[in-house]
Structure formats: C-alpha cells, structure tokens
Amino acid sequence: MNAYDVIIKPVLTEKAYDGIGGKRYCFYVNVNATKTDVKAAVEKIFEVEVEKVNIISVRGKKKRERGTVGYTADRKKAYVKLTSKSKTIAFFDSLA
C-alpha cells in the first residue's frame, strides 16, 4: 500500500485543533491501515518523526431518506503524536 493511499485527509474539528499545539495531529486513514502503516506514511509524506499512533474505528451513521434506511461508510481516524525534537507539519501551522 502506497503512503498516499494510507492517509486520506486531515480531520479539521475543534478536538483536532486542540492537539496541534502539542504536535498531535488527526487524519482519516484507510480502513485497512494499521498503526505501523500510518506511522510510515506520516514520516514519509511530511518528513517528521512519529512517537505514537492511536487509531479509532468510527461506525457509519444511520441515515433515512424517503422511507429507506441505510448507513454512511465506516471510517478510521488516526491520532499521530510527534516526538519533541521533530519539526511540525507545515499544513497545520497556519490553522493553529
């Protein structure tokens, strides 16, 4: 799996913004990605050192439309903590 296939997009929520100051970033990742895959992808794409990765599986929400019931797609979020001596990710610097 390519590094760009592992990381889908950054998560831009209030909780994600709170972690930027402490070098903790949040990304939506491929549902088949492991912690090792995420760590390698972040280190390759952003050229930083990753200390720790936490992954959360998010179930799809229930949606109803015109009498039919369905669910949105399941997702996976990864919280990535960088080492103290690592540089920050430039994309998030403008947001903090």
Side-chain angles (χ1 to χ4, degrees):
M1 190 179 311
N2 186 0
Y4 291 96
D5 294 333
V6 173
I7 296 179
I8 297 172
K9 66 181 181 178
V11 177
L12 304 175
T13 60
E14 289 183 23
K15 184 177 179 182
Y17 285 138
D18 290 341
I20 292 174
K23 293 185 179 180
R24 185 175 168 97
Y25 305 101
C26 186
F27 299 97
Y28 285 122
V29 295
N30 190 319
V31 292
N32 298 321
T34 62
K35 289 183 179 185
T36 310
D37 295 336
V38 173
K39 180 178 179 179
V42 170
E43 287 178 344
K44 181 179 180 189
I45 293 170
F46 300 108
E47 299 174 358
V48 294
E49 294 179 33
V50 175
E51 177 182 335
K52 185 173 154 181
V53 176
N54 292 335
I55 292 184
I56 300 169
S57 295
V58 181
R59 290 182 84 182
K61 293 183 178 180
K62 189 176 192 179
K63 296 289 182 179
R64 292 179 298 218
E65 185 174 325
R66 296 185 185 169
T68 58
V69 178
Y71 291 89
T72 59
D74 294 341
R75 295 193 260 184
K76 192 179 266 194
K77 288 196 298 190
Y79 287 93
V80 178
K81 172 91 170 116
L82 303 182
T83 60
S84 59
K85 62 183 177 178
S86 176
K87 66 177 185 172
T88 60
I89 297 177
F91 171 78
F92 292 99
D93 289 341
S94 62
L95 302 175

